[in-house]
């Protein structure tokens, strides 16, 4: 009479044990193996140091053409975020600095301003509506996944922000770099963007593009 319930209990216990053995708390990236759509494969042995990253403590070097620096803590830099669907980066904008129009193909972004004044915005893919706003210390703005967006220092002093992403490796494609910092033939850039050849050559010269 009690035999069947006992068997069911055993089956249930075995089932729970199987499920628990499948639960994985984390998957620290093994950067020696290639990245895939689901992230990097998991590192075999981990320590507390795998879950801590010091790379955002120091300002990025803003002595460059954009007077700005993006310091990412994505899975290639911070293997502990691999597989968790989130990451973070530091934005340093010197006076006049700009993070030019860009997209993160794999993640939405949320910005919090820590210091200074940042004008930030994005363009919708539906009807290309521009949404932009001037943000001050403590303000937060969200940038939906894949949309073109920018941040620029609209104050007088330096500006600092942190951006978090809904992906451990959101990617970054800067539009001007995609057009003018490679060997995309000038003639094709002109045909596909309607820009003047002179302007394209000028930007290729500035950014290091060829052809
Ligand atoms: C910042 O970058 C510039 C240009 O590459 C370089 O000359 C300078 O030494 C760098 N500064 C620091 C502190 O690394």
């Amino acid at each position: 009479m009690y035999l069947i319930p006992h068997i069911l209990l055993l089956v249930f216990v075995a089932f729970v044990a199987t499920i628990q053995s499948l639960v994985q708390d984390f998957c620290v990236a093994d950067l020696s193996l290639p990245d895939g759509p689901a992230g990097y494969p998991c590192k075999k042995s981990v320590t507390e140091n795998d879950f801590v990253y010091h790379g955002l403590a120091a300002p990025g070097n803003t002595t460059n053409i954009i007077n700005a620096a993006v310091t990412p803590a994505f899975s290639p830099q911070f293997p502990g975020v691999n597989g968790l669907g989130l990451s973070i980066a530091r934005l340093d904008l010197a006076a006049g600095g700009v993070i030019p129009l860009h997209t993160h193909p794999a993640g939405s972004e949320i910005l919090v301003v820590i210091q200074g004044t940042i004008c930030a915005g994005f363009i919708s893919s539906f009807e290309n509506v521009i949404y932009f706003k001037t943000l001050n210390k403590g303000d937060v703005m969200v940038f939906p996944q894949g949309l073109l967006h920018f941040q620029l220092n609209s104050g007088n002093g330096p500006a600092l922000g942190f951006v978090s992403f809904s992906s451990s490796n959101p990617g970054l494609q800067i539009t001007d770099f995609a057009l003018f910092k490679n060997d995309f033939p000038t003639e094709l850039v002109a045909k596909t963007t309607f820009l003047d050849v002179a302007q394209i050559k000028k930007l290729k010269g500035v950014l290091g593009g060829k052809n």
Side-chain angles (χ1 to χ4, degrees):
M1 185 181 171
Y2 292 104
L3 189 61
I4 289 172
H6 279 156
I7 287 171
L8 285 180
L9 184 66
L10 280 176
V11 167
F12 178 72
V13 167
F15 174 74
V16 168
T18 308
I19 292 290
Q20 280 184 340
S21 70
L22 292 175
V23 168
Q24 204 173 354
D25 289 331
F26 47 75
C27 176
V28 175
D30 181 346
L31 298 179
S32 71
L33 295 169
D35 194 9
Y40 289 91
C42 313
K43 213 168 112 171
K44 293 274 183 299
S45 88
V46 303
T47 73
E48 60 273 26
N49 292 330
D50 287 301
F51 302 103
V52 174
Y53 187 61
H54 301 289
L56 304 191
N61 188 340
T62 58
T63 308
N64 54 45
I65 193 165
I66 59 174
N67 294 309
V70 180
T71 311
F74 302 165
S75 46
Q77 298 81 30
F78 183 18
V81 297
N82 185 56
L84 300 183
L86 53 78
S87 60
I88 190 166
R90 174 181 176 131
L91 298 188
D92 288 282
L93 295 144
V98 58
I99 313 293
L101 213 52
H102 65 280
T103 74
H104 307 282
S108 296
E109 170 178 338
I110 189 162
L111 161 72
V112 57
V113 179
I114 305 297
Q115 180 196 349
T117 304
I118 294 175
C119 174
F122 68 86
I123 303 162
S124 74
S125 72
F126 181 67
E127 295 185 337
N128 294 295
V129 179
I130 174 78
Y131 299 90
F132 70 96
K133 194 82 182 164
T134 297
L135 309 171
N136 294 301
K137 182 178 174 177
D139 289 342
V140 166
M141 184 167 179
V142 71
F143 307 87
Q145 179 167 346
L147 300 186
L148 283 165
H149 61 283
F150 64 86
Q151 287 100 11
L152 64 87
N153 186 343
S154 56
N156 299 318
L160 170 65
F162 285 87
V163 281
S164 188
F165 297 89
S166 62
S167 164
S168 58
N169 203 0
L172 166 64
Q173 183 172 43
I174 297 177
T175 310
D176 270 6
F177 291 5
L179 293 172
F180 310 119
K181 201 178 193 277
N182 53 15
D183 58 2
F184 193 173
T186 297
E187 188 191 335
L188 284 179
V189 177
K191 284 205 166 114
T192 56
T193 63
F194 306 103
L195 292 169
D196 293 342
V197 165
Q199 179 67 51
I200 294 164
K201 288 195 163 155
K202 182 182 150 196
L203 286 164
K204 282 189 171 223
V206 172
L207 295 173
K210 296 184 182 69
N211 298 325

